[in-house]
Amino acid sequence: RRVHTSLIRSPAPYVVIIVGHDGIVRFASSAMSEVLGHDPADLIGHPYDVLVPPDAGERHRAHHGTYITRPTARPMGRGLSLRARHKAGYDIPVEIALVPLPGSPPFVAASIRDVSASRLAVERLAATNELLTLALGGADREQLVRSAVVLARRHLGATICWLAEIEDTEMS
């Protein structure tokens, strides 16, 4: 059976992929190369396994087998931190939505969105909140400086951290 993809366009920064019940890619949008580094044409006719991080492969195949017997439109991995494997070999955080397509055998369309930027923003916001909580909770100067350096390294990737102390003066 031929999958009609003439109406599927992906100008947005997310990938649309159509997979058969057998796990073989039938279609991949042009965003695949930008988001996950794969040329869409290279994936067609091959298993989608190259997009699944190796440590999640076996578990994902089991989920796929269960899902394909009773497919429903839903987000994948609700409440989990999902990752997809970039062609260069690293994982990126993603959100994935699944939509079964009518017909037999079943096909599934998946929308894959890179959420790296939003996850980083949430982490940075949490770090800022942690510092504010310490400051408002009466932490001493040394504890604040230590925490600021740790958080800058962890959440900003800083290797050097400069802190400036601003004197509390009244404005006239």
Side-chain angles (χ1 to χ4, degrees):
R1 184 179 95 163
R2 181 178 151 89
V3 177
H4 296 282
T5 58
S6 59
L7 298 177
I8 299 174
R9 297 289 179 254
S10 184
Y14 58 86
V15 174
V16 175
I17 185 171
I18 296 176
V19 176
H21 70 286
D22 53 3
I24 301 299
V25 176
R26 302 301 201 274
F27 169 83
S29 67
S30 60
M32 177 63 77
S33 58
E34 180 184 338
V35 176
L36 294 172
H38 293 273
D39 183 329
D42 292 343
L43 292 176
I44 295 172
H46 298 282
Y48 67 84
D49 291 351
V50 297
L51 305 175
V52 179
D55 63 324
E58 193 172 312
R59 187 173 59 250
H60 188 270
R61 278 187 287 286
H63 286 301
H64 173 86
T66 302
Y67 175 82
I68 209 67
T69 62
R70 296 183 61 145
T72 59
R74 65 173 177 81
M76 180 189 282
R78 196 172 294 134
L80 300 176
S81 293
L82 300 178
R83 298 168 291 122
R85 178 60 69 140
H86 191 280
K87 184 177 182 178
Y90 59 89
D91 297 348
I92 63 168
V94 294
E95 289 178 348
I96 302 173
L98 303 172
V99 178
L101 301 175
S104 182
F107 286 89
V108 176
S111 169
I112 305 169
R113 185 171 75 95
D114 178 355
V115 293
S116 300
S118 60
R119 292 235 176 115
L120 183 60
V122 167
E123 287 176 10
R124 288 179 176 174
L125 184 60
T128 301
N129 188 45
E130 190 175 329
L131 275 178
L132 287 173
T133 301
L134 284 171
L136 294 173
D140 64 29
R141 181 180 180 279
E142 187 176 322
Q143 186 180 7
L144 283 173
V145 168
R146 243 183 291 120
S147 294
V149 170
V150 167
L151 293 171
R153 285 182 177 163
R154 185 183 320 144
H155 297 289
L156 303 175
T159 53
I160 298 175
C161 185
W162 292 86
L163 298 175
E165 188 171 351
I166 302 172
E167 289 186 34
D168 186 14
T169 58
E170 289 186 36
M171 306 264 300
S172 29

